[in-house]
Each structure stands twice: as C-alpha cells, then as structure tokens.
C-alpha cells in the first residue's frame, strides 16, 4: 500500500489532531453528565465541579481507558469490506473524528447535551454507507441505538422518580425530617456506594486488567456499601444543625446531608465516564495508527501506542475547562429546579441505569440516561416544574446527532480523498 507508506506520518499526525478535537468535544459536552446535577443543586460551584471533573475524568481516561481498544466501536461496520481498501478505513476514521468533534463543539456551544457515542457512530456509518457500501453497515445495530433513545431515558426517569418519592415519604414529608434523615440517609449512602462501585467495577476496572468475576464484583460492592453506610452515619452525627423546629430550616439541614452524597456520586460518575467514553476518541485514532503501522492490515482490535491515552485525557480536560459550563447549565438549571436531594436522586438513577444496561448489553448513552433522570425528578413535582422548551430542544438535538455526524463525515471523507488523490 504505497499510499500508506508515502503518507504514513502525515496521516498519523492528522489523526492525532482530529482525535484531540474529538476528545475536546467529549469533555465539553459529556462532562455535564457527571457534574451538571451537582452544580445545578448548588452542592458545588462551577469552578469546583470543573476542577473535580478534570482530576477524575483524566484519572478514568488514563488509568482505566484500556490497553486495547476495539477498532470499530460497537461493531457498527463490517471491517471485511475494507480489506482491499485499508486507505479508505484510515481516511474514513480521520473524517469521522473531525465530523463528530465539530458537531460536539457546536452542540456544546449551544448548550445541548448530545451523545458522544452516537456522534462518532453516526460519522462512521456516514462514510461507510456512501464511500464503501451500504451492506458494510450493521443496520440492526443502528435500529437498537434508535430504540435506546426512548428506552434509556424512560428507564432512568422511572428510577429517579421512585428514589425521589421515597426520600419525600421517608424524610421530607414527615414531622421530624432531620431525625428521619439521620436514620435513613445512611441507607441511601449504602445504596449509592453499591451502585457506584458496580459502575466503577463494570466500566472502569475491566480495562486495567483487573477483571473481577461477577460474584466477586458484587461482594466487593456490598462491602463498600456497608462501609459507606457506617461512614455516613458517623459523618451525619458530626454535622452541625440548627435546632430550630421550623420545618423549612430542618429541610435545609437535610439538604446539607444530600449535598455531601452528591459530590461522592459525581466523582464516581466522572471516573467511570472518563474510562468509558475516552474510547470514542481514541478507538478510531488507534485504528489509524494500527493500520498505518502494519502497512494496511486491519485487526479487530488495536494495541494502544503509549501517547494515545494521555492525548485523549488532555483533550477531555481541555474541552471541559473551556466549554463545559454551557452544557452543565442546561442539565443543572435549564430542565427543572434542582436541590441536592433531587440531584442525588437523578445521579443515582442514572448510575443504576448504566449498571442495568451494561449487564443486559443495551446500547446506552450516559447523556440520555441523565437527562431522563432529571426529567423523572422534575415530573415528581408535576409537568409545570419542567422547562418544556429546553426539553424539546434537547430531544431534537438527540434526533439530529446521528445524521449530523453522518453528513459531516461524508463531506470530510470525500474532501480527504480529493486532497490525497485516493481513487
């Protein structure tokens, strides 16, 4: 493949640049999944959220992002169609990264929480269907993704509604909310510890080579849950409360307790997100490096060059520092008014849905899970508590993400073919 030999270094540099742009887009858009509810409920300021997210997203991406990444995300296209045309795969992946990165940048600037996974999948489908063959795309998988637009938000919305209503019944709507909070919040802390451990074990640690068997994973999660419950009990006893019998003051005291919980759940979500979604940027980049390095041989998975993961990690951090605040505002303040207890219910429901999905193999977007959960919490207070205009914009942005990624990648793919003179 003389094309790959002649232009090998240029292609790798180009792929690294567009891979960084894609990681930047992931940081700008998706970090709100972990931090939006904490900022919206005033548990963290935007500055604190961005610093925490930088640390945990980078740790997740770098420590748990995986040594090996599957060349094509989620088996969306059949790589056998590219055996004779490896140059098409290389140019297509570069075009896809650029397309998805630009779409994510635009969506973040507008404050739309869209799915980074769907952006890159749309882009890969676009260049494959037009540039190679319609048959190379697994259309049944695409159908599954479209189905997940309804299933995921609905599932996490129902779970969030149930968690929030249980807190209302057991704590807020009682005569002595503070005493009940001291009694029940450790159980919520234990539940959060259990679910968050599972998210981290299932999504984070499997990449590091720490494969725990299902039983060991659950045992570890239960141990962490019990420990967190005890820690919670001790911490709640230590908190200073105003002794006034005023119901509003008591409720404010209870919210203080939930604010602590929110910060813990946000850190776990940021770590799990960094480890999982960095693959959207580095998967196609690793594919380019692998195909160029092997002179045109396409493997089903590619070993990562040591510079790729840090590049993805730094890209995510740069994106969230510059543009992260726009999407955080939409999720935290735009959809409905959040307090720490509502934010906690949404965050925990989103984490539950991630665990259920990774157990059942549902294609899932963290963004849609969290937006669904925030909607569920809003619905618990009636439809009037929701800002329907913003909800409509979010739904529209989800629907156009796949086609937007596809159209842009087709344009860039044919432009790159023209620039490099590939027939």
């Amino acid at each position: 493949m003389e094309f790959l030999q002649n232009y090998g270094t240029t292609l790798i540099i180009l792929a690294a640049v567009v891979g960084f742009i894609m990681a930047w887009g992931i940081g700008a858009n998706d970090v709100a999944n972990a931090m939006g509810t904490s900022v919206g409920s005033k548990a963290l300021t935007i500055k604190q959220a961005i610093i925490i997210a930088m640390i945990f997203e980078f740790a997740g991406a770098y420590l748990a992002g995986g040594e090996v990444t599957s060349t094509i995300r989620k088996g969306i296209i059949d790589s056998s169609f590219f055996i004779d045309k490896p140059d098409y795969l290389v140019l297509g992946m570069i075009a896809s990264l650029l397309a998805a990165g630009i779409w994510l940048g635009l969506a973040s600037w507008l404050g739309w929480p869209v799915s980074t996974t769907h952006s890159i999948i749309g882009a890969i489908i676009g260049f494959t269907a037009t540039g190679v063959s319609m048959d190379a795309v697994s259309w049944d998988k695409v159908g599954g993704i479209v189905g997940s637009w309804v299933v995921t938000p609905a599932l996490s919305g129902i779970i969030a509604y149930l968690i929030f209503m249980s807190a209302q019944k057991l704590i807020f709507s009682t005569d002595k909310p503070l005493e009940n909070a001291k009694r029940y919040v450790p159980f919520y802390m234990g539940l959060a510890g259990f679910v968050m451990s599972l998210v981290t074990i299932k999504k984070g640690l499997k990449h590091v080579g720490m494969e725990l068997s299902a039983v060991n994973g659950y045992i570890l999660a239960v141990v962490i849950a019990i420990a967190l419950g005890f820690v919670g009990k001790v911490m709640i006893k230590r908190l200073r409360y105003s002794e006034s019998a005023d119901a509003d003051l008591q409720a404010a005291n209870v919210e203080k307790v939930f604010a602590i919980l929110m910060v813990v759940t946000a850190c776990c979500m940021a770590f799990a997100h960094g480890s999982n979604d960095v693959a959207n940027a580095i998967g196609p980049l690793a594919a380019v490096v692998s195909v160029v390095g092997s002179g045109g041989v396409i493997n089903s998975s590619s070993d990562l060059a040591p510079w790729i993961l840090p590049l993805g990690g730094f890209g995510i951090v740069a994106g969230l520092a510059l543009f992260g605040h726009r999407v955080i505002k939409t999720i935290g303040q735009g959809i409905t008014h959040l307090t720490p207890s509502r934010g906690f219910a949404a965050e925990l429901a989103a984490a539950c849905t991630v665990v259920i999905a990774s157990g059942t193999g549902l294609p899932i977007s963290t963004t849609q899970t969290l937006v669904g959960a925030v909607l569920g919490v809003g619905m618990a207070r009636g439809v009037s508590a929701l800002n329907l205009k913003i909800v409509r914009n979010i739904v529209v942005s989800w629907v156009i993400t796949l086609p937007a990624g596809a159209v842009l990648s087709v344009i860039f793919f044919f432009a790159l073919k023209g620039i490099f003179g590939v027939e």
Side-chain angles (χ1 to χ4, degrees):
M1 290 304 300
E2 50 196 72
F3 165 70
L4 294 180
Q5 283 160 0
N6 296 346
Y7 291 113
T9 317
T10 315
L11 290 168
I12 287 178
I13 292 170
L14 193 58
V17 171
V18 293
F20 184 83
I21 292 173
M22 173 67 186
W24 183 91
I26 292 173
N29 201 288
D30 257 13
V31 69
N33 300 348
M35 291 296 157
T37 47
S38 312
V39 174
S41 63
K42 309 266 194 300
L44 291 171
T45 64
I46 219 147
K47 215 175 191 173
Q48 290 167 330
I50 283 178
I51 291 167
I52 291 177
M54 279 180 171
I55 296 165
F56 282 90
E57 292 268 344
F58 187 78
Y62 188 57
L63 300 175
E67 321 290 84
V68 177
T69 171
S70 53
T71 311
I72 290 154
R73 271 315 288 269
K74 318 265 190 227
I76 278 292
I77 54 174
D78 180 355
S79 58
S80 62
F81 282 81
F82 291 95
I83 289 170
D84 303 330
K85 306 178 186 165
D87 42 356
Y88 275 33
L89 182 68
V90 168
L91 293 179
M93 287 299 175
I94 292 174
S96 299
L97 283 170
L98 183 57
I102 286 178
W103 167 245
L104 287 172
L106 176 69
S108 306
W109 189 71
L110 292 166
W112 291 348
V114 296
S115 164
T116 51
T117 312
H118 295 173
S119 311
I120 191 74
I121 287 175
I124 291 174
I125 291 169
F127 90 82
T128 309
T130 52
V132 185
S133 157
M134 292 289 271
D135 301 335
V137 179
S138 320
W139 292 106
D140 51 333
K141 292 251 172 76
V142 180
I145 291 170
V146 174
S148 75
W149 290 345
V150 181
V151 176
T152 339
L155 181 62
S156 68
I158 291 166
I159 298 173
Y161 179 83
L162 294 174
I163 294 173
F164 178 66
M165 290 313 279
S166 74
Q168 286 292 67
K169 281 228 165 11
L170 295 173
I171 299 171
F172 288 99
S173 305
T174 58
D175 298 333
K176 295 183 175 167
L178 195 54
E179 277 180 29
N180 286 328
K182 287 179 179 171
R183 187 177 308 144
Y184 292 115
V185 167
F187 289 106
Y188 285 111
M189 283 187 115
L191 177 63
F194 178 69
V195 175
M196 285 299 169
S197 315
L198 282 182
V199 171
T200 313
I201 291 164
K202 283 185 180 297
K203 287 222 161 199
L205 298 182
K206 65 175 180 193
H207 303 303
V208 196
M210 280 179 64
E211 272 288 4
L212 292 172
S213 68
V215 179
N216 287 352
Y218 280 105
I219 292 171
L220 180 62
V222 169
V223 171
I224 292 172
I226 294 169
L228 251 179
F230 276 115
V231 171
K233 213 168 175 54
V234 174
M235 278 175 67
I236 291 166
K237 280 205 172 117
R238 285 191 160 174
L239 272 178
R240 293 264 164 266
Y241 304 105
S242 50
E243 292 301 319
S244 147
D246 179 28
D248 286 344
L249 267 176
Q250 288 225 355
N253 284 333
V254 176
E255 291 291 1
K256 263 190 206 164
V257 180
F258 276 104
I260 298 170
L261 270 177
M262 283 282 321
V263 179
V264 179
T265 48
C267 294
C268 298
M269 280 298 265
F271 184 85
H273 172 257
S275 64
N276 194 54
D277 274 24
V278 72
N280 290 329
I282 62 174
L285 169 57
V288 171
V289 174
S290 150
V291 173
V292 171
S294 62
V297 181
I298 297 169
N299 304 311
S300 63
S301 65
S302 359
D303 285 330
L304 286 185
W307 54 271
I308 292 183
L309 269 178
L311 178 98
F314 281 121
I316 287 179
V317 165
L320 72 93
L322 280 172
F323 263 15
H325 61 95
R326 287 175 179 265
V327 186
I328 284 180
K329 275 207 180 95
T330 304
I331 285 189
Q333 297 157 356
I335 301 174
T336 188
H337 175 66
L338 288 176
T339 60
S341 55
R342 291 174 201 154
F344 169 70
E347 196 85 52
L348 188 56
C352 289
T353 312
V354 170
V355 171
I356 294 167
S358 60
T360 52
L362 267 174
I364 182 176
S365 147
T366 354
T367 312
Q368 293 172 357
T369 314
L370 190 70
V371 170
V374 174
L375 283 175
V377 172
M379 291 289 271
R381 295 159 51 228
V383 177
S384 58
L386 298 173
N387 183 339
L388 292 175
K389 186 173 161 225
I390 286 195
V391 175
R392 187 193 64 216
N393 288 351
I394 291 174
V395 172
V396 169
S397 71
W398 288 353
V399 175
I400 57 179
T401 292
L402 272 177
V407 169
L408 286 171
S409 87
V410 170
I411 296 167
F412 295 141
F413 177 63
F414 286 105
L416 284 168
K417 272 178 70 179
I419 291 165
F420 285 107
V422 173
E423 281 309 311

